[in-house]
Amino acid sequence: MCSEVVHLPIVKTTLWPDESATQAFAAVLAAQAALRNAFIELRGDLGAGKTTLVRHLLGALGVSGRIKSPTYAVVESYELPDLAVWHFDFFRFHDPQEWEDAGFRDIFASQGLKLVEWPDKAAGHLPLADLVVQLAMQLDMSNEAARQVTLSAQTAVGLALIQHFDSCISIPEKGQKPLEPIESFQMPMVLNSDTQP
């Protein structure tokens, strides 16, 4: 086994001043090829905007009609012409073993986009997420629609997704407010590669 330490920007933090910024981010994310087989965790308190982000993302991917929250159903699936999408909400799980009992292992092993709200409720059963999106309401409450957003790439797929993140800061849609960057961190990422004879 060969290990190589590569220093990559894997965490980015920004401020979304309103829902149009959420929508602009979702549109840029939907255009990324790496999204087609990504696992994204959505973290944040109740009302932080996790489902709102998913609705904008699914709309940008071409899902039409009502997009339901999977809070009661646990999972909602969407079949697009070139993409399968699963939106999970584990909020009502009381034991992480429920994930295993529900048979979700096969879904996570298959091709397609997996979006998970409340991943901590299935702790120990989920694979490593490519991207973690942490949403937090602004503490000063001067703008109730504003969200602080932290994007953490945990794989090469996640890194590809957040590298495009800067483009949605500098090129907002007409009539939309630009996303405001706060900071970016450099963190080491260890890439392992097995050598086969």
Side-chain angles (χ1 to χ4, degrees), residues 19-163:
E19 191 172 331
S20 67
T22 305
Q23 187 174 17
F25 172 80
V28 171
L29 191 60
Q32 305 312 315
L35 188 71
R36 300 306 186 248
N37 195 33
F39 166 28
I40 299 175
E41 289 184 356
L42 303 152
R43 297 180 172 267
D45 294 334
L46 286 171
K50 299 180 297 293
T51 302
T52 299
L53 173 57
V54 170
R55 285 184 176 133
H56 285 301
L57 180 58
L58 293 176
L61 288 169
V63 174
S64 58
R66 185 169 178 253
I67 298 172
K68 301 185 295 183
S69 170
T71 301
Y72 293 100
V74 181
V75 63
E76 293 288 340
S77 61
Y78 303 90
E79 287 294 327
L80 297 169
D82 61 345
L83 177 64
V85 181
W86 292 273
H87 178 200
F88 295 88
D89 185 332
F90 297 133
F91 181 73
R92 297 195 177 278
F93 274 21
H94 298 290
D95 180 345
Q97 184 61 36
E98 292 178 72
W99 182 87
E100 195 71 45
D101 296 342
F104 293 142
R105 182 176 302 279
D106 291 340
I107 292 174
F108 279 86
S110 66
Q111 296 290 311
L113 173 61
K114 294 90 175 172
L115 305 165
V116 176
E117 297 184 44
W118 301 100
D120 52 311
K121 299 280 190 159
H125 294 276
L126 292 172
L128 181 68
D130 297 301
L131 179 64
V132 177
V133 179
Q134 177 76 45
L135 300 165
M137 292 181 271
Q138 282 298 96
L139 297 177
D140 64 10
M141 296 305 283
S142 61
N143 178 0
E144 291 183 17
R147 298 291 184 265
Q148 182 170 330
V149 184
T150 303
L151 304 173
S152 302
Q154 301 186 126
T155 69
V157 169
L159 184 59
L161 292 173
I162 69 169
Q163 285 176 333

Side-chain angles (χ1 to χ4, degrees), residues 4-10 153 185-191:
E4 175 185 352
V5 176
V6 181
H7 294 279
L8 301 169
I10 65 166
F185 301 99
Q186 292 278 346
M187 295 180 65
M189 177 182 275
V190 178
L191 301 177

